[in-house]
Amino acid sequence: MKRRTALTTLLGSTLIASPIPVRADASNPALPRDRVAAIIRNNQRIVAPNGVEELRTIPVNGIEQWISIRGSDRKNPLLLFIHGGPGSPTMPAAWTFQRPWEDFFTVVQWDQRGAGKTYATNGAPPASTMNLNQFVDDAQTVIAYLLERFGQRKLFVLGHSWGSSVGLELARRRPEVMHAYIGCGQMIYSSRSEHDGFEFALAAARADRNAAAVRELEALAPYPGPLGTLTVERISAQRKWLMYYGGLTFGRKDFTYDADTWQLSPEYNERDVVMTDRGSLFSLTHLLGAVERTNFNAVTELRVPTIMMIGRHDYATSHRVTAEWFSMLRAPKKSAVWYENSAHMMMIEEPGRFVHHLVSGVLPLANA
């Protein structure tokens, strides 16, 4: 399996690295990937009598799309996780942080069209369907299935990065189906956010006296430029150094610590991982325009409780842009949770604090 470079880490999402050997101890040979995944799957198994553990497809607007449903009690509130990218599913890495959530929520990971196992099953969807409205429509179909299946009236929606555009639009259109909306690495105004990230990376490179980084970043100026001029190559060059200086994950220069965990996913096989790589490139290519045009500044009111999970060092989606917008937002209830030792991946960077806030600040809203 081919390792992709840091240039393919875009919008807070990383394409897949090469398989890594896993050893039981120094005297044993490397275990096969499938054996390691089976060990993890057994370790993560839901055994509670009223629990649920499913990996399946459901029909969503013309194609079969994959979902994972996991929880210790089917009566617990549903939480739909809408992943980022575009085209970078969270399902293959969820085993590293999600298990504690499943004691309190029935957690659903959904591989969107053009992403992950959904891409592996269907191949590339028609380019005409790669737009925000289609993804919001797909999400509504997934929600309708879940509410009917579990006999619930509402659920929680958590949108991360690109998925926060889908989630916020859902919150605007369909507040009646949500207990609350949770935005993580919330996308608000892409042009300003991209500029903030560029300025952060350039300032860090200059302070570091990194001539190569300064040269590559200055070559992008003015960044991001007028609408319609942002390309995969330009955003890749910006993300390369933004990531290197901790604007994607605080204190880390790359994303391999997360990307390598995909290789061991109990939900993915090796073909799924390879196809996810291809799906990520397809989705980025066809949705970059939608990302570039993102601007929720005109959304000043939501009719659903709204929680923002914000990484203090997040420059993949600028924490300042999110905080400024959120300070002006009107909602029935709202709260901002700051993660002081996180950038864009707070559920992985500070997993204990994240689940604490889910249980103490989010879960009670199911009974509000």
Side-chain angles (χ1 to χ4, degrees):
M1 201 179 304
K2 183 180 179 182
R3 177 182 290 273
R4 307 193 70 87
T5 70
L7 290 176
T8 57
T9 300
L10 305 175
L11 300 173
S13 304
T14 290
L15 306 181
I16 304 306
S18 59
I20 56 175
V22 178
R23 296 180 182 272
D25 59 54
S27 63
N28 288 337
L31 294 175
R33 185 259 182 221
D34 289 349
R35 173 62 179 147
V36 175
I39 291 171
I40 295 170
R41 187 179 303 111
N42 186 47
N43 174 268
Q44 299 280 298
R45 192 158 59 95
I46 301 288
V47 297
N50 199 38
V52 57
E53 179 180 1
E54 292 186 8
L55 181 63
R56 59 172 300 166
T57 62
I58 61 172
V60 179
N61 295 330
I63 63 173
E64 293 294 311
Q65 300 193 24
W66 281 90
I67 58 173
S68 163
I69 310 174
R70 295 179 52 89
S72 295
D73 189 338
R74 294 167 184 263
K75 295 179 181 178
N76 281 341
L78 289 156
L79 188 155
L80 173 63
F81 192 116
I82 305 182
H83 69 70
S88 185
T90 304
M91 190 188 298
W95 65 272
T96 66
F97 66 85
Q98 184 180 289
R99 186 64 185 88
W101 302 16
E102 296 162 9
D103 287 336
F104 306 97
F105 303 88
T106 298
V107 184
V108 181
Q109 292 285 348
W110 161 45
D111 281 7
Q112 301 159 22
R113 67 175 60 227
K117 292 174 75 70
T118 297
Y119 182 89
T121 296
N122 299 280
S128 61
T129 68
M130 299 298 286
N131 57 75
L132 181 61
N133 279 334
Q134 180 66 68
F135 280 71
V136 173
D137 286 347
D138 286 357
Q140 290 184 84
T141 300
V142 173
I143 288 171
Y145 166 82
L146 293 171
L147 294 180
E148 181 179 3
R149 163 80 184 279
F150 288 90
Q152 299 187 22
R153 293 174 44 252
K154 295 183 179 184
L155 79 173
F156 292 102
V157 170
L158 187 158
H160 180 239
S161 197
W162 151 257
S164 71
S165 289
V166 180
L168 185 54
E169 187 62 19
L170 272 170
R172 191 181 70 81
R173 296 185 193 182
R174 298 296 308 279
E176 74 279 3
V177 301
M178 294 187 193
H179 297 300
Y181 169 64
I182 307 118
C184 302
Q186 180 68 51
M187 290 179 64
I188 296 298
Y189 183 22
S190 284
S191 292
R192 163 85 188 282
S193 182
E194 288 299 313
H195 179 73
D196 278 8
F198 171 78
E199 291 294 324
F200 158 77
L202 183 57
R206 286 171 174 164
D208 194 31
R209 298 175 184 249
N210 186 333
V214 171
R215 183 174 60 253
E216 290 180 22
L217 288 165
E218 287 182 341
L220 299 175
Y223 183 89
L227 285 177
T229 64
L230 192 61
T231 63
V232 170
E233 291 73 23
R234 280 169 56 76
I235 201 170
S236 295
Q238 188 257 33
R239 285 298 191 277
K240 172 184 176 181
W241 296 111
L242 180 150
M243 176 175 59
Y244 183 83
Y245 287 109
L248 175 63
T249 305
F250 181 55
R252 293 182 183 265
K253 295 181 183 296
D254 61 42
F255 204 57
T256 55
Y257 78 98
D258 180 81
D260 283 348
T261 67
W262 292 28
Q263 307 300 328
L264 309 179
S265 169
E267 284 83 19
Y268 275 43
N269 59 36
E270 190 168 349
R271 179 179 179 274
D272 292 333
V273 174
V274 172
M275 295 299 288
T276 295
D277 189 359
R278 298 175 189 175
S280 294
L281 289 174
F282 171 83
S283 294
L284 283 166
T285 300
H286 288 84
L287 286 169
L288 187 55
V291 170
E292 187 183 14
R293 293 188 298 273
T294 299
N295 186 349
F296 286 106
N297 278 335
V299 178
T300 58
E301 183 175 11
L302 293 174
R303 291 174 293 142
V304 64
T306 305
I307 301 98
M308 287 291 117
M309 307 289 207
I310 310 173
R312 182 68 68 182
H313 307 276
D314 190 351
Y315 284 97
T317 52
S318 170
H319 65 276
R320 290 187 293 210
V321 174
T322 300
E324 288 173 12
W325 169 82
F326 196 60
S327 70
M328 304 298 291
L329 181 74
R330 298 187 303 274
K333 293 183 179 180
K334 71 174 196 175
S335 61
V337 181
W338 286 90
Y339 291 84
E340 300 297 334
N341 296 306
S342 294
H344 194 60
M345 307 299 296
M346 62 288 294
M347 71 284 295
I348 299 172
E349 295 176 80
E350 296 183 70
R353 293 192 68 236
F354 197 92
V355 73
H356 168 73
H357 289 131
L358 283 180
V359 174
S360 64
V362 174
L363 186 60
L365 296 171
N367 299 315

